[in-house]
Amino acid sequence: CSCPSDYYPCKHIPIVLESINDRMSKNRAKPEKGMFENVVRKMSLNDLQEFVIRFGLHNASFQQAVLLEFTPPHKQPGGNNYSEIIRCALKDIDFDSDDIYDYHYENFEIDALDQWLNKARAYIEQGNYAEAILIAKACIEEYAEWIRQVDFDPDGYISEDYLYEPFNILEEAYENDCLTAEELLGYCKKEAGKNKYDRSFKDMFDDLILNLTEDTDPEAYIAMQDKLFNHLSDKSSYEAKQILERKIDFYKKRGDIQTAQGIIEENLQIEAFRQDFVKKMIADNKYKEA
């Protein structure tokens, strides 16, 4: 509970628990089919369809529930109906940005994204990565556009899962050979060049591009690291350390320990590298060098 009570549990918890238990006991007491189910089963298909359409047009939650349950998998490549669905769902989000700041909300939840990301995970469990990939791409593209249009800074207020999870799904699809490196690399490069993405999204695309380039073109990967490093004015910065560590990891994974150690010894302006170098010298009884 988010109330400011110093006691645990606060008074709200047992009240809610009592309500849940009461609802469950009532449901257990009525196992027979209710009037609602009987009426629905007796409706003609046409009447049911007309009702669903009429009711859905004025009820966003019901509309999403129907789309989540019945949107058919894509039969033809190249289309992505999920983009339009998620775009419309995000437009229907109703909140007061003043409340977010005034009441210091943390991890503001977006039901539509939660539901569709869960749907993507369900498709993965079924082995249908194609649909999961389409949903992940739609979530990335439409969430970025929605973030750009809202009138508050979402940083610290909206869960970062909405940023990370779609990219995790794409990486998982690639690792399971359901998306080629060329396909994913092409998508990332195309999207990263669009103006609608803020720094957080661009960082996610850049990280994925780096990882894919390491797998597909090792020489280009090292060249990219060198280019990034050479553009830095402060070669002892945290950013410089990250770039050099990527190169070190690259060579260690390939068993080239000598080259990895050489990078450390050539960049003793990095404090952590100096510490590692001193420990190595001491272990080798080279106290003068240490």
Side-chain angles (χ1 to χ4, degrees):
C1 185
S2 60
C3 79
S5 173
D6 293 329
Y7 297 97
Y8 183 84
C10 64
K11 64 183 180 181
H12 305 105
I13 300 298
I15 292 172
V16 172
L17 182 59
E18 183 180 356
S19 177
I20 292 172
N21 289 334
D22 183 56
R23 179 70 63 87
M24 290 176 68
S25 65
K26 287 179 179 177
N27 288 340
R28 282 195 295 269
K30 297 179 180 179
E32 72 280 358
K33 293 180 181 180
M35 181 182 293
F36 173 76
E37 183 177 350
N38 288 329
V39 169
V40 171
R41 292 194 181 281
K42 291 177 181 177
M43 292 174 67
S44 70
L45 176 60
N46 184 67
D47 287 344
L48 185 58
Q49 289 175 335
E50 289 300 319
F51 171 78
V52 168
I53 293 170
R54 187 171 66 253
F55 189 70
L57 291 175
H58 303 287
N59 189 311
S61 296
F62 178 73
Q63 188 177 126
Q64 276 300 302
V66 172
L67 291 170
L68 277 162
E69 188 69 26
F70 297 106
T71 298
H74 286 67
K75 301 298 183 185
Q76 299 294 330
N80 194 345
N81 294 335
Y82 299 116
S83 291
E84 182 179 353
I85 295 171
I86 293 171
R87 186 185 314 130
C88 293
L90 290 173
K91 283 181 182 178
D92 287 330
I93 293 175
D94 184 25
F95 66 91
D96 188 336
S97 58
D98 291 335
D99 285 345
I100 287 179
Y101 291 121
D102 292 344
Y103 295 102
H104 306 290
Y105 285 132
E106 293 182 2
N107 293 335
F108 178 78
E109 295 180 357
I110 303 175
D111 290 342
L113 290 179
D114 285 329
Q115 292 165 346
W116 283 104
L117 289 171
N118 288 338
K119 183 77 170 180
R121 281 293 170 195
Y123 272 125
I124 288 175
E125 290 177 6
Q126 299 166 15
N128 190 346
Y129 276 92
E131 292 301 306
I133 290 166
L134 288 171
I135 293 173
K137 288 179 177 180
C139 286
I140 290 170
E141 295 163 25
E142 300 307 328
Y143 179 53
E145 187 64 41
W146 180 79
I147 286 291
R148 191 172 70 155
Q149 295 177 9
V150 296
D151 59 350
F152 74 98
D153 182 3
D155 189 33
Y157 296 98
I158 297 181
S159 172
E160 292 185 336
D161 289 345
Y162 302 127
L163 173 65
Y164 294 131
E165 182 61 11
F167 283 96
N168 290 341
I169 290 171
L170 294 181
E171 286 192 80
E172 188 175 330
Y174 165 64
E175 290 166 0
N176 284 275
D177 298 323
C178 298
L179 191 62
T180 67
E182 290 73 18
E183 289 171 336
L184 187 51
L185 197 56
Y187 172 75
C188 289
K189 287 181 177 179
K190 181 188 75 173
E191 291 299 314
K194 296 180 180 178
N195 294 327
K196 69 178 179 180
Y197 295 107
D198 65 12
R199 186 68 261 166
S200 297
F201 278 95
K202 288 189 180 296
D203 286 344
M204 294 297 293
F205 280 122
D206 289 345
D207 288 346
L208 197 45
I209 288 170
L210 279 174
N211 293 337
L212 290 166
T213 305
E214 180 182 6
D215 291 346
T216 59
D217 192 345
E219 290 184 6
Y221 175 77
I222 291 298
M224 288 171 70
Q225 305 307 318
D226 290 338
K227 184 178 180 181
L228 290 170
F229 184 76
N230 292 332
H231 277 94
L232 294 177
S233 57
D234 183 0
K235 299 296 192 289
S236 62
S237 65
Y238 175 72
E239 190 174 1
K241 177 174 174 286
Q242 285 186 307
I243 295 169
L244 293 170
E245 284 179 338
R246 286 199 291 265
K247 289 183 63 177
I248 292 168
D249 288 342
F250 173 86
Y251 287 111
K252 282 184 176 179
K253 278 191 254 181
R254 284 156 178 76
D256 191 348
I257 305 301
Q258 185 175 355
T259 301
Q261 184 61 32
I263 294 172
I264 293 175
E265 295 178 11
E266 292 166 5
N267 292 278
L268 296 179
Q269 75 278 5
I270 306 290
E271 182 179 354
F273 291 3
R274 288 200 303 276
Q275 292 174 352
D276 289 343
F277 182 74
V278 168
K279 289 176 183 177
K280 183 177 185 301
M281 290 299 101
I282 291 174
D284 294 341
N285 296 319
K286 296 180 179 180
Y287 296 106
K288 182 178 179 181
E289 290 87 346

